[in-house]
Amino acid sequence: MENLLIDTNIVVDLLSRRENFYQEAQELFTLADENDVKLFISALTFVNTHYLLLRHLSENEARKVMIKFKLLVKILPLEDKILELALASDFRDFEDAIQYHTALENKLNIIITRNKKDFKTSRIPVLTAKEYLNR
């Protein structure tokens, strides 16, 4: 079974039902629901997703969504070592560096994101949800 780090944009695609991106995100999470893959997110993704949902939902509605979502993924801690590695990395975007080093430190197989260009120097495969589903 593959262990996948899911980037924040994919989570938001799913939970916000983003047009043009929801279907692929939904199919990916269905694979996890069927125990074909295991999905992981950084604690940072959980926090950022809640924040982004507040643009469209009330606090109460956003919390309900996050409670249900939490059942679908394993949330990985944001530890000091990951922050140190991210700060010292050559990533231009700090949040992407945190995602990358979370995946590395937890020995995950693949990063799933819509912004592959943000992970140019990755030592592990980086795929879009569509690319992963079409393999």
Side-chain angles (χ1 to χ4, degrees):
M1 180 179 302
E2 289 184 310
N3 296 319
L4 312 177
L5 181 87
I6 307 302
D7 196 8
T8 305
N9 52 48
I10 303 295
V11 174
V12 174
D13 290 346
L14 177 76
L15 299 180
S16 296
R17 295 180 173 258
R18 279 189 183 156
E19 193 172 333
N20 299 326
F21 304 112
Y22 170 75
Q23 185 63 37
E24 294 159 2
Q26 188 269 333
E27 288 178 30
L28 186 64
F29 279 84
T30 297
L31 288 178
D33 194 41
E34 295 170 348
N35 293 317
D36 293 329
V37 297
K38 193 158 188 178
L39 304 181
F40 296 81
I41 63 167
S42 165
L44 179 63
T45 291
F46 195 83
V47 172
N48 286 345
T49 299
H50 177 265
Y51 174 77
L52 292 169
L53 286 177
L54 291 176
R55 294 179 180 176
H56 309 286
L57 302 174
S58 71
E59 175 66 36
N60 190 41
E61 292 169 325
R63 283 188 186 225
K64 286 179 182 177
V65 168
M66 296 307 291
I67 288 168
K68 289 179 185 176
F69 174 70
K70 190 176 181 301
L71 301 173
L72 300 174
V73 295
K74 172 134 176 65
I75 301 172
L76 300 171
L78 181 53
E79 299 173 348
D80 187 56
K81 181 177 181 182
I82 291 170
L83 292 173
E84 292 293 331
L85 290 167
L87 287 167
S89 75
D90 59 354
F91 276 75
R92 289 183 15 210
D93 184 284
F94 185 56
E95 192 262 344
D96 291 332
I98 289 172
Q99 300 290 7
Y100 174 68
H101 287 287
T102 297
L104 271 184
E105 287 301 302
N106 289 280
K107 298 174 178 39
L108 302 182
N109 305 104
I110 299 171
I111 297 171
I112 306 294
T113 184
R114 242 188 317 103
N115 299 320
K116 288 174 55 175
K117 67 182 179 351
D118 295 339
F119 296 89
K120 287 180 186 172
T121 61
S122 178
R123 294 184 302 210
I124 60 176
V126 178
L127 301 172
T128 65
K130 185 175 187 172
E131 289 171 337
Y132 184 79
L133 293 166
N134 289 334
R135 296 181 334 145

